[in-house]
């Protein structure tokens, strides 16, 4: 290390073995007077004595120079030089993998561990010079030239100490080191004990977490099973209520008064709302349990939009201030995924957009996304959603407080179901929205659905789920048809509905029996 200012402190010759002890003493004294702590003093004294011993052993003697360099920060440098044969193959001696067979080179290795920096210059024609450098700590004040000169005078007037005192000092340092090692050994034993206790605690915690995970898994299975079974128990009477109220509203049993029609309409709408809640709850349970049935097939986005247009346009009342627009998809490839699930996601989003848009438009579009994906968008000019609520709306049963909310019916499950269905299809859903301006929902899906073995399980439809559709689509639904239809159902309400819808040309089976 090069410094602009150098203050020589002391120079000593190493000609006899006892000079090594005296050099060690001087190194300790100087380090102490410079302000180094006891540990640093021992490190400096040991490193100096090791290199001085090398000079005496391999070169027959040498010179030791102590000096302080720099002004701020300062360093304490010791230079030990000799005129011996030099160090053969110095790079090999300094390499981390060096293993000495004779003891040569060990002093240099020790010095490098003890000092902040070690510089070595060695050649056969000029001997070896080793510079040992120790930096002043941040808490040590820089010494002025006057203070360093006082230190030199002090060293000059000092009476040489007994060499045996240094040996005694070394013994005391050794005893302190051994005591420190003993204390550290005790600390290690305590630490190992603490680690063993911690490990036992972690093992117990993992066991508890496994038990809780298993309990949650069983609860999830029970929840799914409960919803699956209860869906039939709920859907059957709800379907009956809706069908029978439709009979009344269609005047199949005669005219209704205005008040009766109003009340029957309330019954029908309430049953529809409850049926929507049951259907959404069951779909969510299926997704969470990984038992949702996927029917992957090829379809065109244009055909999907055409079907959605036919389904969603009737939701708009006559003379509505809202326009429902489906943009023509351009240059979109054939999609290979579950068209029904994609349609269900878009129906929910379009339905929400229509509910919360008083004027303007709801625009549905699709375009190629990054990678092998397609991005559907449903944009509206409705009430918008605040940034604080844009994450919450995808949680189950969350409905944002708004004056329009009171006028529309909802379960708070639609967006949560959309999110889970999109993820189940390998995609995602996102939103951009500004209150009072409108919202745009983005559904990003892979063009080709990648099967997931975990999603291949199927939950069978509950009994009775398709009965109304079967009746409605029956070729014998015309009253004057000569064909006969057999319907097997244990609910008397379906018997009434079938008879009213199909007339007398029907057979109704009650748990295996047949009545005409």
């Amino acid at each position: 290390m090069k410094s602009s200012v150098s203050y020589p402190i002391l120079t000593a010759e190493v000609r006899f073995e006892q000079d090594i002890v005296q050099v060690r003493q001087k190194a300790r004294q100087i380090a102490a007077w410079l302000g180094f702590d006891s540990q640093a003093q021992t490190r400096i004294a040991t490193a100096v004595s090791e290199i001085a011993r090398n000079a005496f052993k391999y070169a027959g003697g040498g010179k030791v120079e102590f000096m302080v360099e720099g002004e701020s920060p300062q360093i304490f440098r010791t230079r030990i030089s000799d005129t011996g044969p030099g160090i053969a193959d110095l790079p090999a001696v300094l390499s981390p993998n060096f293993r000495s067979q004779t003891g040569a080179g060990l002093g240099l290795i020790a010095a490098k561990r003890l000092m902040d920096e070690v510089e070595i210059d060695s050649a056969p024609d000029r001997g070896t010079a080793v510079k040992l450098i120790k930096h002043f700590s941040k808490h040590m004040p820089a010494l002025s030239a006057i203070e360093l000169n006082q230190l030199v005078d002090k060293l000059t007037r000092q009476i040489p100490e007994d060499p045996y005192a240094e040996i005694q000092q070394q013994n005391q340092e050794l005893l302190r080191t051994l005591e420190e090692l003993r204390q550290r050994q005790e600390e290690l034993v305590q630490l190992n004990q603490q680690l063993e206790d911690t490990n036992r605690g972690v093992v117990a915690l993992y066991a508890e977490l496994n038990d809780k995970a298993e309990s949650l898994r069983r609860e999830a299975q029970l929840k799914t099973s409960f919803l699956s079974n209860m869906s039939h128990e709920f859907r059957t009477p709800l379907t009956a209520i809706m069908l029978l109220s439709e009979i009344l509203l269609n005047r199949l049993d005669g005219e209704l008064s205005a008040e009766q029609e109003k009340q029957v309409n309330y019954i029908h709408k309430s049953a529809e709302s409850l049926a929507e809640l049951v259907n959404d709850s069951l779909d969510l349970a299926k997704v969470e349990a990984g038992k949702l049935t996927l029917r992957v097939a090829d379809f065109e986005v244009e055909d999907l939009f055409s079907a959605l247009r036919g389904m969603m346009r009737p939701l708009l009342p006559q003379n509505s201030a809202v326009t429902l627009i489906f943009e023509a998809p351009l240059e979109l490839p054939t999609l290979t995924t579950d068209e029904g699930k994609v349609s269900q996601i878009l129906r929910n989003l379009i339905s929400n957009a229509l509910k919360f848009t008083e004027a303007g438009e709801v625009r549905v579009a699709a375009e190629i996304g990054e990678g092998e994906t397609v991005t559907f968008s449903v944009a509206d000019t409705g009430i918008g959603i605040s940034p604080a609520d844009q994450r919450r709306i995808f949680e189950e049963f969350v409905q944002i407080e708004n004056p329009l909310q009171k006028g529309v019916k909802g379960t708070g499950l639609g967006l949560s179901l959309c999110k889970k269905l999109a993820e189940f299809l390998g995609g995602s859903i996102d939103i951009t929205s500004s209150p009072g301006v409108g919202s745009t929902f983005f559904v990003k899906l892979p063009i080709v659905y990648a099967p997931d073995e975990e999603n291949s399980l199927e939950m069978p439809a509950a009994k009775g789920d398709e009965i109304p559709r079967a009746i409605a689509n029956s070729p014998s639904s015309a009253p004057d048809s000569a064909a006969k239809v057999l319907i097997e159902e244990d609910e008397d309400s379906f018997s009434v509905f079938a008879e009213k819808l199909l007339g007398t040309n029907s057979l109704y089976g009650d748990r295996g029996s047949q009545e005409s």
Side-chain angles (χ1 to χ4, degrees):
M1 173 178 289
K2 295 181 180 180
S3 298
S4 58
V5 181
S6 179
Y7 300 96
I9 303 297
L10 178 68
T11 300
E13 295 287 339
V14 177
R15 291 176 293 180
F16 306 101
E17 192 164 4
Q18 58 267 29
D19 292 339
I20 299 172
V21 179
Q22 291 179 351
V23 166
R24 181 186 178 95
Q25 285 179 327
K26 295 300 181 183
R28 185 195 306 280
Q29 291 172 355
I30 295 171
W33 291 340
L34 291 176
F36 288 99
D37 59 28
S38 59
Q39 187 178 39
Q41 295 169 27
T42 301
R43 287 174 171 269
I44 293 170
T46 302
V48 170
S49 65
E50 286 294 313
I51 303 303
R53 180 176 287 106
N54 281 356
F56 177 77
K57 182 176 181 180
Y58 299 109
K63 182 171 66 174
V64 181
E65 302 169 87
F66 300 99
M67 63 192 68
V68 173
E69 294 183 346
E71 294 184 354
S72 182
Q74 292 178 316
I75 63 169
F76 177 40
R77 189 187 74 175
T78 304
R79 183 176 186 272
I80 301 103
S81 58
D82 64 58
T83 56
I87 303 173
D89 200 4
L90 180 61
V93 173
L94 298 177
S95 68
N97 300 324
F98 176 71
R99 296 293 181 270
S100 176
Q101 302 297 326
T102 62
L106 296 180
L108 288 174
I109 296 172
K112 287 178 68 67
R113 292 174 179 171
L114 294 169
M115 302 299 285
D116 294 332
E117 297 180 47
V118 175
E119 299 176 359
I120 304 170
D121 180 19
S122 183
D125 58 343
R126 63 176 182 273
T128 301
V130 180
K131 296 178 183 178
L132 306 176
I133 299 170
K134 193 70 175 175
H135 296 280
F136 280 45
S137 71
K138 296 179 181 179
H139 307 293
M140 294 171 60
L143 300 175
S144 65
I146 296 175
E147 292 173 318
L148 292 171
N149 288 331
Q150 291 173 350
L151 174 57
V152 172
D153 292 340
K154 189 175 182 180
L155 287 169
T156 304
R157 294 194 302 268
Q158 185 182 28
I159 300 173
E161 296 182 5
D162 184 0
Y164 292 104
E166 179 62 25
I167 296 176
Q168 185 178 9
Q169 178 72 22
Q170 286 183 261
N171 289 338
Q172 291 174 354
E173 291 173 357
L174 180 59
L175 290 174
R176 285 198 301 270
T177 302
L178 290 174
E179 178 62 21
E180 290 176 1
L181 289 174
R182 185 189 64 78
Q183 292 177 356
R184 291 187 181 181
Q185 183 69 23
E186 291 178 355
E187 291 174 358
L188 285 174
V189 171
Q190 293 176 357
L191 181 59
N192 285 335
Q193 183 62 43
Q194 292 174 1
L195 288 174
E196 289 179 5
D197 294 341
T198 302
N199 287 337
R200 283 194 292 268
V202 170
V203 170
L205 179 60
Y206 273 120
E208 183 178 350
L209 289 175
N210 286 335
D211 291 342
K212 288 187 179 296
E214 180 63 22
S215 176
L216 289 173
R217 187 186 64 80
R218 289 195 299 268
E219 289 177 7
Q221 289 179 340
L222 289 173
K223 169 186 158 186
T224 303
S225 177
F226 169 78
L227 289 174
S228 177
N229 293 329
M230 289 305 294
S231 67
H232 169 62
E233 302 303 325
F234 281 121
R235 283 178 173 181
T236 300
L238 284 173
T239 303
I241 293 171
M242 288 189 290
L243 295 178
L244 294 175
S245 61
E246 286 178 3
I247 289 175
L248 295 175
L249 292 172
N250 291 329
R251 309 301 199 273
L252 296 182
D253 276 332
E255 289 297 322
L256 298 176
S257 67
E259 183 62 26
Q260 287 174 332
E261 183 175 7
K262 178 181 177 181
Q263 293 174 2
V264 174
N265 266 316
Y266 282 145
I267 293 172
H268 189 268
K269 289 180 180 179
S270 297
E272 283 183 333
S273 296
L274 188 55
E276 182 183 356
L277 175 62
V278 171
N279 291 336
D280 286 349
S281 298
L282 181 60
D283 285 341
L284 278 172
K286 287 179 179 180
V287 176
E288 290 173 356
K291 295 183 178 180
L292 193 67
T293 303
L294 289 182
R295 296 176 175 85
V296 178
D298 295 342
F299 65 93
E300 302 295 334
V301 174
E302 185 175 1
D303 296 335
L304 173 65
F305 279 8
S306 178
L308 286 172
R309 186 182 297 108
M311 284 186 283
M312 306 310 295
R313 281 261 171 87
L315 296 180
L316 288 172
Q318 289 185 351
N319 301 321
S320 173
V322 180
T323 304
L324 178 59
I325 302 171
F326 286 83
E327 291 187 0
L330 300 176
E331 299 181 356
L332 287 180
T334 299
L335 304 190
T336 304
T337 185
D338 190 321
E339 182 179 6
K341 299 298 183 293
V342 177
S343 176
Q344 185 176 2
I345 295 171
L346 295 178
R347 285 200 311 271
N348 271 330
L349 296 178
I350 297 170
S351 176
N352 278 353
L354 293 174
K355 287 178 183 177
F356 297 104
T357 302
E358 294 181 295
E361 67 177 30
V362 173
R363 184 175 295 269
V364 185
E367 61 181 12
I368 290 291
E370 295 181 359
E372 297 295 320
T373 63
V374 60
T375 299
F376 294 93
S377 62
V378 178
D380 63 60
T381 56
I383 59 176
I385 303 169
S386 67
D389 293 325
Q390 289 178 16
R391 294 299 95 190
R392 294 180 57 241
I393 58 174
F394 294 105
E395 299 175 8
E396 297 177 16
F397 300 105
V398 170
Q399 292 180 310
I400 307 303
E401 290 294 332
N402 189 279
L404 277 182
Q405 185 69 50
K406 300 177 181 179
V408 297
K409 300 293 183 181
T411 63
L413 292 175
L415 290 178
S416 176
L417 179 59
C418 287
K419 182 175 185 294
K420 287 184 168 60
L421 286 175
E423 292 172 350
F424 200 82
L425 294 174
S428 61
I429 187 169
D430 204 354
I431 178 178
T432 60
S433 183
S434 298
V437 177
S439 305
T440 302
F441 286 85
F442 301 94
V443 181
K444 183 178 179 180
L445 298 173
I447 294 174
V448 178
Y449 170 74
D452 186 345
E453 294 181 0
E454 294 182 359
N455 296 343
S456 62
L457 300 176
E458 180 176 345
M459 177 179 288
K463 180 183 177 184
D465 288 352
E466 302 298 331
I467 286 178
R469 187 181 304 167
I471 294 175
N473 296 333
S474 170
S476 303
S477 58
D480 57 349
S481 173
K484 295 183 179 181
V485 178
L486 171 64
I487 301 174
E488 183 176 347
E489 178 56 54
D490 55 5
E491 288 289 336
D492 293 339
S493 55
F494 281 103
S495 170
V496 175
F497 174 77
E499 290 175 0
K500 294 292 182 182
L501 183 65
L502 303 176
T504 58
N505 296 322
S506 63
L507 295 177
Y508 187 82
D510 182 7
R511 300 186 184 277
S513 64
Q514 296 182 0
E515 299 177 2
S516 59

